[in-house]
Coordinates of all heavy atoms in Angstrom, one line a residue:
Chain B
T242 N 169.2 -16.2 89.5 CA 169.6 -15.3 88.4 C 170.1 -16.2 87.2 O 170.3 -17.4 87.4 CB 170.8 -14.4 88.8 OG1 171.9 -15.3 89.2 CG2 170.4 -13.5 90.0
K243 N 170.1 -15.5 86.1 CA 170.5 -16.3 84.9 C 171.9 -16.8 85.0 O 172.2 -18.0 84.6 CB 170.4 -15.3 83.6 CG 170.6 -16.1 82.3 CD 170.4 -15.1 81.2 CE 170.8 -15.8 79.9 NZ 170.8 -14.9 78.7
E244 N 172.8 -16.0 85.5 CA 174.2 -16.5 85.7 C 174.2 -17.8 86.6 O 174.9 -18.7 86.2 CB 175.1 -15.4 86.3 CG 175.3 -14.2 85.5 CD 174.1 -13.3 85.3 OE1 173.3 -13.2 86.2 OE2 173.9 -12.8 84.2
D245 N 173.5 -17.7 87.7 CA 173.5 -18.9 88.6 C 172.9 -20.1 87.9 O 173.3 -21.2 88.0 CB 172.7 -18.6 89.8 CG 173.5 -17.7 90.8 OD1 174.7 -17.7 90.6 OD2 172.9 -17.0 91.6
A246 N 171.8 -19.8 87.1 CA 171.1 -20.9 86.4 C 172.1 -21.6 85.5 O 172.2 -22.8 85.4 CB 169.9 -20.4 85.6
V247 N 172.9 -20.8 84.8 CA 173.9 -21.4 83.8 C 175.0 -22.1 84.7 O 175.4 -23.2 84.3 CB 174.5 -20.3 83.0 CG1 175.6 -20.8 82.1 CG2 173.4 -19.6 82.1
A248 N 175.4 -21.4 85.7 CA 176.6 -22.0 86.5 C 176.2 -23.3 87.2 O 177.0 -24.2 87.2 CB 177.0 -21.0 87.6
F249 N 174.9 -23.4 87.7 CA 174.5 -24.6 88.3 C 174.0 -25.7 87.4 O 173.7 -26.8 87.7 CB 173.4 -24.3 89.4 CG 173.9 -23.8 90.7 CD1 174.0 -22.4 90.9 CD2 174.4 -24.6 91.7 CE1 174.4 -21.9 92.1 CE2 174.9 -24.1 92.9 CZ 174.9 -22.8 93.1
G250 N 173.9 -25.3 86.1 CA 173.3 -26.2 85.1 C 171.8 -26.5 85.3 O 171.3 -27.6 85.0
A251 N 171.1 -25.5 85.8 CA 169.7 -25.6 86.0 C 169.0 -25.5 84.6 O 169.2 -24.5 83.9 CB 169.1 -24.5 86.9
T252 N 168.3 -26.5 84.3 CA 167.6 -26.5 82.9 C 166.1 -26.7 83.1 O 165.6 -26.7 84.2 CB 168.2 -27.7 82.1 OG1 168.1 -28.9 82.9 CG2 169.6 -27.5 81.7
G253 N 165.5 -26.8 81.9 CA 164.0 -27.0 82.0 C 163.3 -25.7 82.4 O 163.9 -24.6 82.3
P254 N 162.1 -25.8 82.9 CA 161.4 -24.6 83.3 C 162.1 -23.8 84.3 O 162.0 -22.6 84.4 CB 160.1 -25.2 83.8 CG 159.9 -26.5 83.1 CD 161.3 -27.0 82.9
V255 N 163.0 -24.4 85.1 CA 163.7 -23.7 86.2 C 164.7 -22.7 85.5 O 164.8 -21.6 85.8 CB 164.5 -24.7 87.1 CG1 165.3 -23.9 88.1 CG2 163.5 -25.6 87.8
G256 N 165.4 -23.2 84.5 CA 166.4 -22.4 83.8 C 165.7 -21.4 83.0 O 166.0 -20.2 82.9
R257 N 164.6 -21.8 82.3 CA 163.9 -20.8 81.4 C 163.1 -19.7 82.2 O 162.9 -18.6 81.7 CB 162.9 -21.6 80.5 CG 163.6 -22.4 79.5 CD 162.7 -22.8 78.4 NE 161.8 -23.9 78.8 CZ 162.1 -25.2 78.8 NH1 163.3 -25.6 78.4 NH2 161.3 -26.1 79.2
G258 N 162.8 -20.0 83.4 CA 162.2 -19.0 84.3 C 163.2 -17.9 84.6 O 162.8 -16.8 85.0
S259 N 164.5 -18.3 84.5 CA 165.5 -17.3 84.8 C 166.1 -16.7 83.5 O 167.1 -15.9 83.5 CB 166.7 -17.9 85.5 OG 166.2 -18.5 86.7
G260 N 165.4 -17.0 82.4 CA 165.9 -16.4 81.1 C 167.0 -17.1 80.4 O 167.6 -16.6 79.5
F261 N 167.3 -18.4 80.9 CA 168.3 -19.2 80.3 C 167.7 -20.0 79.2 O 166.9 -21.0 79.5 CB 169.0 -20.0 81.4 CG 169.9 -21.0 80.9 CD1 170.7 -20.9 79.7 CD2 170.2 -22.2 81.6 CE1 171.6 -21.8 79.3 CE2 171.0 -23.2 81.2 CZ 171.7 -23.0 80.0
A262 N 168.0 -19.7 77.9 CA 167.3 -20.4 76.8 C 168.0 -21.8 76.7 O 169.1 -21.9 76.1 CB 167.5 -19.7 75.5
C263 N 167.4 -22.8 77.2 CA 168.0 -24.1 77.3 C 167.1 -25.2 76.8 O 167.3 -26.4 77.2 CB 168.4 -24.4 78.8 SG 167.0 -24.2 79.9
D264 N 166.2 -24.9 76.0 CA 165.2 -25.9 75.5 C 165.9 -26.8 74.5 O 166.2 -26.3 73.4 CB 164.0 -25.3 75.0 CG 162.8 -26.3 74.9 OD1 163.1 -27.5 74.7 OD2 161.7 -25.9 75.0
V265 N 166.2 -28.1 74.8 CA 166.8 -28.9 73.8 C 166.0 -29.1 72.6 O 166.6 -29.3 71.5 CB 167.1 -30.3 74.5 CG1 167.9 -31.2 73.6 CG2 167.9 -30.1 75.8
R266 N 164.7 -29.0 72.7 CA 163.9 -29.2 71.5 C 164.2 -28.1 70.5 O 164.0 -28.3 69.3 CB 162.4 -29.1 72.0 CG 161.9 -30.2 72.9 CD 160.5 -30.0 73.3 NE 160.4 -28.8 74.2 CZ 159.3 -28.3 74.6 NH1 158.1 -28.9 74.3 NH2 159.3 -27.3 75.5
K267 N 164.6 -26.9 71.0 CA 165.0 -25.9 70.1 C 166.5 -25.9 69.7 O 166.8 -25.8 68.5 CB 164.8 -24.5 70.8 CG 163.4 -24.0 70.7 CD 163.1 -23.4 69.3 CE 161.7 -22.8 69.3 NZ 161.1 -22.7 68.0
T268 N 167.3 -26.1 70.7 CA 168.8 -26.0 70.4 C 169.3 -27.2 69.7 O 170.3 -27.1 69.0 CB 169.5 -25.8 71.7 OG1 169.2 -26.8 72.6 CG2 169.2 -24.4 72.4
D269 N 168.7 -28.4 70.0 CA 169.3 -29.6 69.4 C 168.1 -30.5 69.1 O 167.9 -31.5 69.7 CB 170.2 -30.3 70.4 CG 170.9 -31.5 69.8 OD1 170.8 -31.7 68.6 OD2 171.6 -32.2 70.6
P270 N 167.3 -30.1 68.0 CA 166.0 -30.8 67.8 C 166.2 -32.3 67.5 O 167.1 -32.7 66.8 CB 165.4 -30.1 66.6 CG 166.2 -28.9 66.4 CD 167.5 -29.1 67.0
Y271 N 165.4 -33.1 68.1 CA 165.4 -34.6 67.8 C 163.9 -34.9 67.4 O 163.1 -34.1 67.4 CB 165.8 -35.3 69.1 CG 165.0 -35.0 70.3 CD1 163.9 -35.8 70.7 CD2 165.3 -33.9 71.1 CE1 163.2 -35.4 71.8 CE2 164.6 -33.6 72.2 CZ 163.5 -34.3 72.6 OH 162.8 -34.0 73.7
S272 N 163.7 -36.2 67.1 CA 162.4 -36.7 66.6 C 161.8 -35.7 65.6 O 162.5 -35.3 64.7 CB 161.5 -37.0 67.7 OG 162.0 -38.1 68.4
A273 N 160.6 -35.2 65.9 CA 159.9 -34.4 64.9 C 159.9 -32.9 65.3 O 159.1 -32.1 64.8 CB 158.5 -34.9 64.7
Y274 N 160.7 -32.5 66.3 CA 160.7 -31.1 66.8 C 161.2 -30.1 65.7 O 160.9 -28.9 65.9 CB 161.4 -31.0 68.1 CG 160.7 -31.6 69.2 CD1 161.2 -32.7 69.9 CD2 159.5 -31.0 69.7 CE1 160.5 -33.3 70.9 CE2 158.8 -31.6 70.7 CZ 159.3 -32.7 71.4 OH 158.6 -33.3 72.4
D275 N 161.9 -30.6 64.7 CA 162.4 -29.6 63.8 C 161.3 -29.2 62.8 O 161.5 -28.3 62.0 CB 163.6 -30.2 63.0 CG 163.4 -31.6 62.6 OD1 162.3 -32.1 62.8 OD2 164.3 -32.2 61.9
R276 N 160.2 -30.0 62.7 CA 159.2 -29.7 61.7 C 158.0 -29.0 62.4 O 157.0 -28.8 61.7 CB 158.8 -30.9 61.0 CG 158.0 -31.9 61.8 CD 157.9 -33.2 61.0 NE 159.1 -34.0 61.0 CZ 159.2 -35.2 60.4 NH1 158.2 -35.8 59.9 NH2 160.4 -35.8 60.4
V277 N 158.0 -28.7 63.6 CA 156.9 -28.0 64.2 C 157.3 -26.6 64.6 O 158.5 -26.3 64.8 CB 156.3 -28.8 65.5 CG1 155.6 -30.0 65.1 CG2 157.4 -29.0 66.5
D278 N 156.3 -25.8 64.8 CA 156.5 -24.4 65.1 C 156.1 -24.2 66.5 O 154.9 -24.3 66.8 CB 155.8 -23.5 64.1 CG 155.9 -22.1 64.4 OD1 157.0 -21.7 64.9 OD2 154.8 -21.4 64.3
F279 N 157.0 -23.9 67.4 CA 156.6 -23.6 68.7 C 157.6 -22.6 69.3 O 158.7 -22.3 68.8 CB 156.5 -24.8 69.6 CG 157.8 -25.5 69.9 CD1 158.5 -25.3 71.1 CD2 158.5 -26.3 69.0 CE1 159.7 -25.8 71.4 CE2 159.7 -26.8 69.2 CZ 160.3 -26.6 70.5

Side-chain angles (χ1 to χ4, degrees):
Chain B
T242 59
K243 188 180 174 184
E244 290 71 35
D245 285 338
V247 176
F249 281 97
T252 50
V255 179
R257 289 196 285 278
S259 306
F261 171 30
C263 54
D264 197 333
V265 182
R266 295 174 294 172
K267 275 281 185 206
T268 54
D269 185 9
Y271 54 95
S272 291
Y274 285 112
D275 47 359
R276 71 189 72 175
V277 288
D278 175 38
F279 70 101

